[in-house]
Amino acid sequence: MVLFLDEIDALQGSSMVSILSQLRDGHNVRPKGRPFPASVVLCGLRDVRDYKVASGGAPDGSNPASPFNILADSLRLGDFTADQIAELYDQHTQATGQEFTKDAVEWAFELTQGQPWLVNALADEIITEMGVTGTSPPSRWRTPRSG
């Protein structure tokens, strides 16, 4: 089992230290046969190591009692290319039949510069909030919403 904690960096101070300490304790009891996820993924805008430094810890220092010393790897989801946005939006097309034109994909890239959250938020705004159906060209997106 893999445990994903999204927006972990929204926690601050003692709340952050508490959850990380609990994760460390859970990790440490695995050899004793206690159930605990095989992996834990902490998702957020900041790396947990950045939090460690901000709270006064050394970035590479070792402290066995620290809840920060079991980090295996840190990854950053890079910005999407226009081709990756086209692929993502094509997944929506395959699931729903609603097409995003090549111009729409290019305009989405221009607006978001490929930032993953913005790419998804823009598509959600177009589909859910604006209620665009059928083919989604940029000219329909630029029409201001009423209300």
Side-chain angles (χ1 to χ4, degrees), residues 12 16 24 35-36 61-62 68 70 104 107 110 120 130 134 141:
Q12 298 178 9
M16 174 69 92
R24 179 176 173 71
F36 191 78
S62 177
F68 298 101
I70 58 173
W107 197 63
E110 180 184 326
N120 283 296
M130 295 174 69
W141 299 356

Side-chain angles (χ1 to χ4, degrees), residues 18-19 24 31 34 37 42 45 51 62 70 75 84 86 95 109 114 121 129 143 145:
S18 176
I19 190 73
R24 179 176 173 71
R34 298 261 176 85
L42 306 177
L45 295 176
Y51 180 82
S62 177
I70 58 173
L75 304 172
Q84 289 170 323
F109 181 73
E129 300 300 322
T143 305
R145 285 192 335 210

Side-chain angles (χ1 to χ4, degrees), residues 115-134:
Q115 200 281 342
W117 187 89
L118 292 174
V119 169
N120 283 296
L122 178 61
D124 183 63
E125 177 73 17
I126 293 162
I127 296 160
T128 306
E129 300 300 322
M130 295 174 69
V132 174
T133 58

Side-chain angles (χ1 to χ4, degrees), residues 24-48:
R24 179 176 173 71
D25 291 345
H27 178 267
N28 288 342
V29 298
R30 289 185 339 176
K32 298 173 186 169
R34 298 261 176 85
F36 191 78
S39 292
V40 176
V41 178
L42 306 177
C43 303
L45 295 176
R46 292 181 297 150
D47 190 307
V48 171

